Amino acid sequence: MVLLRTLVLLLALVVSDLHSLPWFINVSESQGPGTILQSFSFNCSSHTPTLELLHVQPPTTFFNPPSLTRWQGIYVGKMTLSSSARLDALTVNHYELQLRFTCGNHVMEGPLSVDVQRDPGHIQCAGRFASPAGEIIQVPETVKPGARLYTLLLPGQGAQISITSAQDPPYFPGPFSINGQGWLQAPSQGLRGQAQKVFQLQILVNFGQGRSCCGMLTVKVLPAPSSQVSFLQQAQNITIPENLVPGSKVVQVQARGFDVRYEILSPVPCRLFSIGRVDGVVRTTSPLELAQAPDAAVTRLRVKAFERLRPWASAELDFKVDVQSVNRWPPRCTPALLATQIPETTPVGTVLNTFTCTDPDSPGSTLDYQLLFHSPAGAASLCLQDRVLEVNATLDCDTPGTCFHHAASILVLDGGQPLMTTEVPVLVMVTPVNEFSPACVPRTFRVREDAGPHALLGSVVGKDMDYPHDSIEYSIPGGSATFAVDRLSGEVRLLGPLDYELQKFHRLTVLLTDHSQDQDPTCHRSGSCTITIEVEDVNDHAPECEPPFQELTIHTHLGRSMEVTRVSCRAPQEPQRLAFSYSIVGGNSWSLFSLQGAVLVLNDLTLGPSWPEQPHTYELLIRVADAGPSTPHLSTTATVIVHLVPWRASTVATSTHRATVTSMMTPLLVTDTEAFWQPEPWFVVVLTVTSALLLLALGWLLSRLLWGLAQVLQVPSKPTQALLLNSIQGTEGSVEGFMEAPRMETPQAPSSVMSLYFDGRAQDPRTGRDYLFNTHTGARRWL
């Protein structure tokens, strides 16, 4: 015989590593006695091991006790079929063998499951019918004509069955018959009066193609029974779970009678159940998996109870066995874990996944799906429609903590008992999308033009609706030599100097670029705004006066004020500044002078101190300061030297004023214009002629007087003549390096020598030069 399949399992007996594990083997029903079913290899170096067969379910003698031999230091155990083995998958297709291996103090037990497989190519007659002694059956003589006496187990369909032995009368009351289903039926005349007779029937089973088998069937006719066999219980329905292992007890039937035996009449063959011939216990013979064998859900059994010595004394019992589905396995889902990421702009209704779940206990059954949220709790961003997970609401990630990830689970429930569930974890990562461009509000910053480098002008505040909101970088396109903007804070600072006079306003375009707001790090959006920087004027140039130094001579008039000069000042670098304040800060003794704006005025002397009798020089210091809002207020000082000459009645109407400056200053020409009377020409002619005649007369008279006086004194006035001569010479030579003011003609008094007479000499305190003066007229001549 050929071994179809041998599974070799190597078990290493290291004491800490051995466990009781189940083994499964398949064997063909064509295998005969002596076939090796399984080989085992063991390590047991310090003891002599043993391998035992504890029991077999269902009980049978088909298996020999396991053998254990040593080969090259390893113990090899074998399981074989015994000499009585007749494997028949239609009769019993599953055997459970319990093995025990002992190595010193270590004991290991484990089941060996043997599944008997059908072999279509192996045809044999089953049961005792095929044995050399044949099958012996006992029937009562009261059996009904044509009644079924025996059922021949056939290994296949379509076999032709016939009785080949002779059935001649008078020994045979009539011929026994057998049909295609293997049913042996009583003769049509019945068996009345045939008690104690034995009928031997040779039966041939032909399967075609030269395949056949034969067997002997002996029928013993027993006299009519004197007692009745009956079951103690009535027909009933029995419910068992599907997870019963083969050999489990289903029910025990009991019948009243003498030495009663039991057998299953229907269905034949019965692949799911068997009954104990003596004890009447119905047991399972194979797994009752409804998923693999749906027809095992309901089985109707007919059980026969009969007396062993009088088989015709029998009774039958019908009952139904319902196999109830046991919810042992939770639903299985595909996918078992969902982890996905979607952008925040995913439209509502987008399908994320469709779950496919099945119940191994009940394929095709309806399952219940529930969506459970974990974080954020109670979120409505996702929904479950039947088995489809969809986006339920707008996934807005522009508010902190609103999304970024959703942790949930799909709870799948079956309808079995007990209720089994499967939880499918769901993790949906929502990735940000850069949807909005940053923006900022145009602003105006004011800065003083004297602000130093790195001065903070202000900050550009950008806004971005994308999260995180402060992920903005600031820059100035093309750069700027005067201003800089901080890349992260947006602070605008000064780099270079400012000049209000050159540029009052600066306009900067600040570029805003966002970052870290999209799953793609290269995705950026930008915006810009214009910043106006207004330069505030700072008074950084002091006023300058033209000229900075003036010197002039003033002839005063008693009882009237007069304008002395006008101080002309400006800031050349800032021509727009025209407002100045003027004040006399030095040299204004007796408060003779005052300022009316930029005009220096000699006050009315009648209101002041007593009239000065002698010429006097005043060195006035005039402070010219900025006026107006600009700060700081800078100032300068202009110097005006005023030679004040008191006016007398005999003073010549026309006077010459000279303005001098030091060698470091520009000479100044000052003109004093006084009002005079200009008569008509004819009046001038008449007056001239008359005056000439009068002068001639007076000259003659004077000459006469002088001659007479000369005669008296005998000495001419020498100092006077010398002084006169010197004054004339000084007048001619004193103009070197100076400019002479133009003369203004006025009507003059009659000519006299006194007009050229200088009776005093003095030194100018400022220049150190000497000059001559006339105490009567106030006229000067520089030496």
Side-chain angles (χ1 to χ4, degrees), residues 229-275:
V229 176
S230 62
F231 285 95
L232 299 180
Q233 62 267 49
Q234 300 298 320
Q236 56 182 338
N237 294 333
I238 301 171
T239 302
I240 60 174
E242 65 171 340
N243 59 348
L244 291 180
V245 298
S248 298
K249 178 179 177 181
V250 176
V251 67
Q252 182 178 14
V253 295
Q254 292 180 336
R256 185 182 296 109
F258 178 76
D259 197 7
V260 178
R261 298 293 184 263
Y262 303 92
E263 65 179 0
I264 296 177
L265 297 180
S266 176
V268 177
C270 185
R271 62 181 183 84
L272 300 178
F273 304 98
S274 64
I275 189 170

Side-chain angles (χ1 to χ4, degrees), residues 241-478:
E242 65 171 340
N243 59 348
L244 291 180
V245 298
S248 298
K249 178 179 177 181
V250 176
V251 67
Q252 182 178 14
V253 295
Q254 292 180 336
R256 185 182 296 109
F258 178 76
D259 197 7
V260 178
R261 298 293 184 263
Y262 303 92
E263 65 179 0
I264 296 177
L265 297 180
S266 176
V268 177
C270 185
R271 62 181 183 84
L272 300 178
F273 304 98
S274 64
I275 189 170
R277 188 173 180 84
V278 177
D279 57 9
V281 176
V282 178
R283 300 179 183 273
T284 59
T285 57
S286 64
L288 304 175
E289 294 287 347
L290 296 180
Q292 286 75 28
D295 57 341
V298 178
T299 303
R300 298 184 181 277
L301 293 178
R302 174 173 292 179
V303 177
K304 176 183 177 182
F306 60 91
E307 293 182 357
R308 181 177 65 85
L309 299 178
R310 298 184 303 161
W312 59 88
S314 64
E316 297 179 0
L317 175 66
D318 294 324
F319 57 92
K320 185 176 68 173
V321 180
D322 293 323
V323 179
Q324 186 179 29
S325 174
V326 176
N327 210 13
R328 293 178 294 167
W329 307 104
R332 297 176 182 174
C333 297
T334 304
L337 168 67
L338 176 61
T340 184
Q341 65 178 22
I342 57 176
E344 63 173 320
T345 54
T346 302
V348 175
T350 300
V351 176
L352 301 182
N353 202 286
T354 300
F355 295 90
T356 302
C357 300
T358 58
D359 187 359
D361 298 311
S362 180
S365 62
T366 302
L367 303 176
D368 184 30
Y369 298 82
Q370 298 179 7
L371 178 61
L372 304 178
F373 285 98
H374 302 308
S375 64
S381 300
L382 306 176
C383 67
L384 188 66
Q385 302 288 346
D386 193 13
R387 300 180 295 112
V388 180
L389 184 63
E390 299 178 352
V391 176
N392 188 48
T394 302
L395 303 173
D396 184 10
C397 293
D398 297 326
T399 302
T402 55
C403 63
F404 295 143
H405 74 275
H406 293 271
S409 60
I410 308 296
L411 186 64
V412 184
L413 305 91
D414 59 15
Q417 292 295 331
L419 185 67
M420 302 294 288
T421 62
T422 294
E423 191 168 341
V424 180
V426 175
L427 180 62
V428 179
M429 301 294 296
V430 182
T431 58
V433 176
N434 197 357
E435 302 175 80
F436 306 100
S437 298
C440 60
V441 178
R443 299 189 61 185
T444 299
F445 301 139
R446 291 179 174 83
V447 58
R448 292 167 54 92
E449 66 173 328
D450 60 348
H454 307 293
L456 177 61
L457 308 184
S459 297
V460 180
V461 180
K463 298 294 184 181
D464 195 340
M465 296 177 63
D466 292 307
Y467 183 80
H469 303 301
D470 56 352
S471 297
I472 299 176
E473 293 184 356
Y474 304 85
S475 61
I476 299 177

Side-chain angles (χ1 to χ4, degrees), residues 570-653:
R570 64 188 182 91
Q573 298 84 352
E574 303 178 27
Q576 76 281 0
R577 285 198 300 140
L578 301 175
F580 301 102
S581 64
Y582 304 85
S583 61
I584 301 174
V585 297
N588 189 16
S589 58
W590 299 333
S591 300
L592 292 178
F593 300 91
S594 64
L595 287 169
Q596 297 179 2
V599 178
L600 179 64
V601 177
L602 178 64
N603 296 327
D604 185 0
L605 296 180
T606 60
L607 303 176
S610 61
W611 178 261
E613 295 294 336
Q614 300 296 329
H616 192 76
T617 299
Y618 295 89
E619 184 175 348
L620 301 177
L621 299 179
I622 300 176
R623 180 179 180 271
V624 182
D626 295 317
S630 60
T631 58
H633 289 176
L634 303 180
S635 65
T636 189
T637 303
T639 304
V640 178
I641 298 177
V642 180
H643 301 288
L644 185 61
V645 179
W647 184 269
R648 297 182 183 276
S650 61
T651 300
V652 180

Side-chain angles (χ1 to χ4, degrees), residues 516-686:
S516 304
Q517 294 176 332
D518 195 280
Q519 183 73 6
D520 182 5
T522 63
C523 180
H524 304 285
R525 285 181 175 267
S526 60
S528 64
C529 62
T530 301
I531 304 301
T532 302
I533 300 174
E534 180 179 343
V535 181
E536 295 181 348
D537 186 22
V538 175
N539 194 8
D540 52 354
H541 299 285
E544 299 178 6
C545 296
E546 294 292 339
F549 176 83
Q550 298 184 48
E551 184 175 1
L552 49 92
T553 301
I554 299 299
H555 296 274
T556 61
H557 297 272
L558 188 62
R560 57 180 286 195
S561 299
M562 62 183 301
E563 178 180 332
V564 177
T565 185
R566 177 179 292 273
V567 181
S568 176
C569 299
R570 64 188 182 91
Q573 298 84 352
E574 303 178 27
Q576 76 281 0
R577 285 198 300 140
L578 301 175
F580 301 102
S581 64
Y582 304 85
S583 61
I584 301 174
V585 297
N588 189 16
S589 58
W590 299 333
S591 300
L592 292 178
F593 300 91
S594 64
L595 287 169
Q596 297 179 2
V599 178
L600 179 64
V601 177
L602 178 64
N603 296 327
D604 185 0
L605 296 180
T606 60
L607 303 176
S610 61
W611 178 261
E613 295 294 336
Q614 300 296 329
H616 192 76
T617 299
Y618 295 89
E619 184 175 348
L620 301 177
L621 299 179
I622 300 176
R623 180 179 180 271
V624 182
D626 295 317
S630 60
T631 58
H633 289 176
L634 303 180
S635 65
T636 189
T637 303
T639 304
V640 178
I641 298 177
V642 180
H643 301 288
L644 185 61
V645 179
W647 184 269
R648 297 182 183 276
S650 61
T651 300
V652 180
T654 303
S655 63
T656 301
H657 304 270
R658 300 179 183 273
T660 62
V661 297
T662 63
S663 61
M664 296 299 293
M665 300 181 183
T666 304
L668 175 66
L669 180 62
V670 179
T671 302
D672 185 14
T673 304
E674 296 182 0
F676 66 94
W677 177 60
Q678 184 176 1
E680 296 293 333
W682 62 268
F683 179 78
V684 173
V685 173
V686 174

